[in-house]
Each structure stands twice: as structure tokens, then as C-alpha cells.
Amino acid sequence: MNLHEYQARELLKAAGVPMLDGGVAATADEVHAIASRIGGTVVVKAQVHAGGRGKAGGVKLAKTPAEAKEVAARILGMTIKGLVVQKVLVVPAADIASESYVGLIMDRESQRPLFMVSSAGGIDIEEVAAKTPEKIHRLAVDPRFGLMPHQSLGLALKLYQDFNQVRAAARMMEQLYSVFMANGASLAEINPLATTSDGKVLALDAKISIDDNELDRRPDLAALRDESAEEPSEVTARKANLTFIKLDGNVGCVVNGAGLAMATMDLVKYYGGDPANFLDIGGSSNPEKVVNALKIITADPSVKVILFNIFGGITRTDDVANGIVTATRQFKVDLPIVIRLTGTNEKEAVKILEGVGMKALNDMDEAVKQAVALAKGAK
Ligand code: GDP
Ligand code: MN
């Protein structure tokens, strides 16, 4: 789950990370009020779950409250990477002397929290990573000991020469690490970590993602979820207990089990198609789950074909077949459906489907090939 910048700032601020106080607003008038209170030049920043807001025009400086209001009226309601801006953060503008990058992720390879820091921070960090990876310094932290002083100082020395700044940055890395660990984050990032012309080190942007598995035991974090800022189909799927991730292709996939879902997407790609989603209806599926899955998939206008790939173990294939039949009775499914199923209660499932004139395939390759061909034909 992604946090908004203003939410991530709260967590970092509570840990002592230095930053400039501001306010969050949903209307241009509120922005005027906050800018008046702050006085002087402010930055108005779009609050959406997307990076690159600066480049997209979602981060703007304003010299007066009137200008802040004007800028906010433009930013509120604008779309950045498919997400509509509903709130803005208003903070005093810092007089930036340099921009560094400090990030912390849960790294699968080292199986540890991994720091990445670079003195080439700011809006082009992706380009730095791609073109001059040697400018990014990495350090995996042993969680048994935490981030030790020599390690945080070592990282900070990659960023600054001035020892006051080195010490300040090292402290901020320790604070970032504690926030990351205490909140079950999968990512925590400050970019830019800026120095100002008077020598201070400040966090000017904050990004934190919380591991979804953390949320059951942390209602305080779960309460930070902003559903209005998330992909609508993923919100619906979560509520229906389906594991769903929207992708860019046009082959809608309904599969049981995460492993089979991955294998199905691989096979769709292998035969030249593109999956429209990852969807795992789970182990013990009931017909209702299938109905919900079909609702979500058919709501996506880019889907051209629906591919079922069901391996019946605990999942009963007749449950899935009943779900398909129920769904097609409840609402009109205007798309071709390719069904592959095998395993528990397969004979019953085939009978149920044949009863409504639908065919079930047994072979996974065959089903995926058909689905890809149908998707191509539809273009
Ligand atoms: P992002 O593009 O989504 O990462 O948004 P950021 O919050 O990182 O802002 C993008 C860029 O806007 C920064 O890299 C800065 O160059 C600029 N910026 C942000 N805050 C300030 C500020 O207080 N003063 C000045 N001068 N520039 C800022
Ligand atoms: Mn940033």
C-alpha cells in the first residue's frame, strides 16, 4: 500500500527527520489560507501515488498566496499517470543548494533492507540509475544489528563533504531506517534530500510503501489507505478477496493459485499475447468469487478475451463452471471466453458448461493459444 507524501512525512517527522511544516488542502481556497499562514514563497505539490510529479507539472512554486491559489486550481483535478489529483501539500519553498537521493527497500537478493544513496538526486534519479549506475551506492543492513553508526556515516560521506551535513544526513538515514522497520515498509525514500543555501539538510519529498501483509496487525496504518487514489479495479478486487493486479494487455486471465497465474501470464506472452491482469481466485473458490472476477475483468474496456485456467485441487472445477454460468446470466458478457479446466469434479464441470453451450478445454497450451488468437483477431 502506498502512502501519500503528506502521510509519509508524518511518519518521518515523528521520527525526527527535519522538514518544513506545511499543510494539506483539497481546494484552492484552503491553499490560499495555508500559503498566507506560511508567508513567503511556497511549493504546491500534487498528492498522488506516482513518482515524477515534478516533471508532470504537479509541483509548482508560488510567490504569493494569490499565486498559490491559482497554481492549486490548476493542479487539483489534473491527471498524473492516470490518477486524478484530489489533494495538494503546501510547504514553504526551500532555497535548494543540492539534491541527493536516499532510498531504502526490502531487497530480495540480499534478503535485507538495502540502502541506496546518491549525490545525483532530484527528479532524474531513474536516469541516473540507468545511465550512470556507479553514482548509486548500496548498503545491505543486517537486521539483527540495525544500521550501525559507521555505516550511516559511510553512506552520508558519499553525499556530503561538510561534516555537519554528513552527521545530519547520517542521523536522517538512521531515522529513515527506524521508520522503515517499525512500519513494515517495503520502500522508504527521500528524494530530494536537499541542502539549503544556509547549509541545512532537509527532506523535501517522502515516499513510503507499506507491505500489505503488515496491515492486518496495524489498523493505524491500514487506516491511511486512500481508496479514491487507487486503481478502481484493484480496490473492488481486494474487497472481493481476490488477488488482482491490473496490467496493460488485452487477455483477461482468471486463474486459481498464484503460481499457475504467473505461469499462465508467461504462456500468454510466450504465444505472443499480453495479459490484461494477474488474477488469483484463490484455493477454495466458490461461484461468487468467479462472478466477482468476471465483473472486474469485463469492466476493463481493453480486455478482448477472457481466459480461464483452472487446476482443480481444493478448488472444485464445477464451482468455477457454476460461477461462469451464474455470471453470464447476471450480466451480459460480450467477450469470447476460453476455458481450460482439469482436476476435481472435471466431468461435472464440463457437463455444466456444455449445458449452456460452452466448451471446456483440457490442455493449457491449446487454451492459451486460442485466447491469444482471439485477442489478436479482435484488434
Ligand atoms: P517528484 O517529482 O514527484 O519526485 O516530486 P518532488 O517533491 O521530489 O519535487 C520535484 C522537484 O521539485 C524537486 O526535485 C525540486 O527540484 C523541486 N522542489 C521541490 N520542493 C522544492 C522547494 O522547496 N524549493 C525549490 N526550489 N524546489 C523544490
Ligand atoms: Mn521526489
Side-chain angles (χ1 to χ4, degrees):
M1 178 185 79
N2 293 322
L3 299 185
H4 283 300
E5 178 188 6
Y6 71 90
Q7 297 169 325
R9 277 168 53 98
E10 292 298 318
L11 294 182
L12 294 176
K13 200 179 158 201
V17 174
M19 57 182 73
L20 301 172
D21 281 334
V24 183
T27 66
D29 283 328
E30 284 166 36
V31 170
H32 190 280
I34 296 168
S36 310
R37 197 181 69 221
I38 292 172
T41 306
V42 297
V43 193
V44 181
K45 309 180 75 177
Q47 299 296 289
V48 282
H49 295 148
R53 296 166 304 167
K55 280 190 178 168
V59 178
K60 293 275 184 224
L61 292 168
K63 290 204 179 73
T64 62
E67 196 190 335
K69 181 177 168 177
E70 227 176 273
V71 164
R74 259 181 286 138
I75 294 178
L76 286 163
M78 84 189 264
T79 305
I80 298 175
K81 296 188 182 160
L83 300 162
V84 179
V85 181
Q86 288 162 345
K87 284 182 188 147
V88 290
L89 172 70
V90 187
V91 281
D95 187 6
I96 299 178
S98 76
E99 297 189 314
S100 293
Y101 172 90
V102 176
L104 184 53
I105 58 159
M106 196 53 88
D107 178 47
R108 281 161 198 253
E109 208 175 310
S110 60
Q111 302 181 1
R112 288 178 178 192
L114 179 77
F115 265 99
M116 288 176 289
V117 307
S118 176
S119 58
I123 54 175
D124 286 321
I125 190 68
E126 278 81 12
E127 210 174 306
V128 174
K131 290 191 182 146
T132 47
E134 70 279 2
K135 288 191 182 164
I136 297 179
H137 305 277
R138 291 178 165 75
L139 175 85
V141 179
D142 187 330
R144 290 172 298 180
F145 310 124
L147 182 65
M148 288 187 281
H150 72 277
Q151 294 178 312
S152 53
L153 283 171
L155 286 170
L157 278 162
K158 304 283 187 195
L159 307 182
Y160 305 120
Q161 269 121 44
D162 177 290
F163 206 70
N164 286 325
Q165 293 179 345
V166 171
R167 263 202 300 253
R171 201 174 311 124
M172 289 164 84
M173 287 179 210
E174 283 156 23
Q175 291 159 337
L176 187 70
Y177 181 80
S178 73
V179 168
F180 181 89
M181 295 304 273
N183 295 290
S186 51
L187 175 146
E189 191 180 87
I190 299 173
N191 182 36
L193 179 71
T195 58
T196 55
S197 50
D198 56 357
K200 288 202 189 75
V201 184
L202 290 173
L204 289 195
D205 186 13
K207 182 169 181 202
I208 294 180
S209 303
I210 307 290
D211 187 324
D212 283 347
N213 296 308
E214 191 71 16
L215 300 174
D216 279 342
R217 59 174 178 180
R218 289 292 301 273
D220 58 324
L221 292 176
L224 298 177
R225 189 185 284 285
D226 176 6
E227 279 180 350
S228 70
E230 296 179 331
E231 169 64 42
S233 54
E234 291 180 7
V235 175
T236 314
R238 196 172 51 244
K239 289 190 172 148
N241 264 323
L242 300 163
T243 310
F244 174 89
I245 293 161
K246 171 144 175 48
L247 302 169
D248 296 332
N250 59 11
V251 179
C253 303
V254 186
V255 189
N256 69 311
L260 188 60
M262 295 298 285
T264 306
M265 297 189 330
D266 280 352
L267 210 57
V268 168
K269 283 268 186 195
Y270 179 78
Y271 286 119
D274 263 311
N277 64 279
F278 170 98
L279 193 154
D280 173 10
I281 58 170
S284 57
S285 65
N286 53 27
E288 202 191 321
K289 272 193 168 177
V290 177
V291 174
N292 286 328
L294 277 172
K295 268 186 201 155
I296 291 162
I297 289 183
T298 52
D300 177 354
S302 53
V303 173
K304 300 291 179 231
V305 60
I306 298 165
L307 168 66
F308 274 82
N309 187 11
I310 306 297
F311 184 84
I314 298 172
T315 305
R316 292 170 36 174
T317 58
D318 56 328
D319 272 349
V320 176
N322 275 323
I324 297 172
V325 174
T326 310
T328 50
R329 280 191 188 134
Q330 269 184 25
F331 52 95
K332 202 163 148 36
V333 181
D334 261 338
L335 300 163
I337 304 180
V338 179
I339 304 162
R340 179 265 179 164
L341 48 83
T342 187
T344 310
N345 293 356
E346 183 181 326
K347 281 201 186 101
E348 289 84 342
V350 172
K351 221 176 271 165
I352 292 164
L353 291 170
E354 282 175 354
V356 295
M358 292 177 119
K359 213 180 129 200
L361 301 167
N362 199 265
D363 185 74
M364 179 161 155
D365 271 81
E366 185 53 38
V368 173
K369 271 193 232 170
Q370 274 194 23
V372 170
L374 284 163
K376 288 207 166 130
K379 267 180 205 165

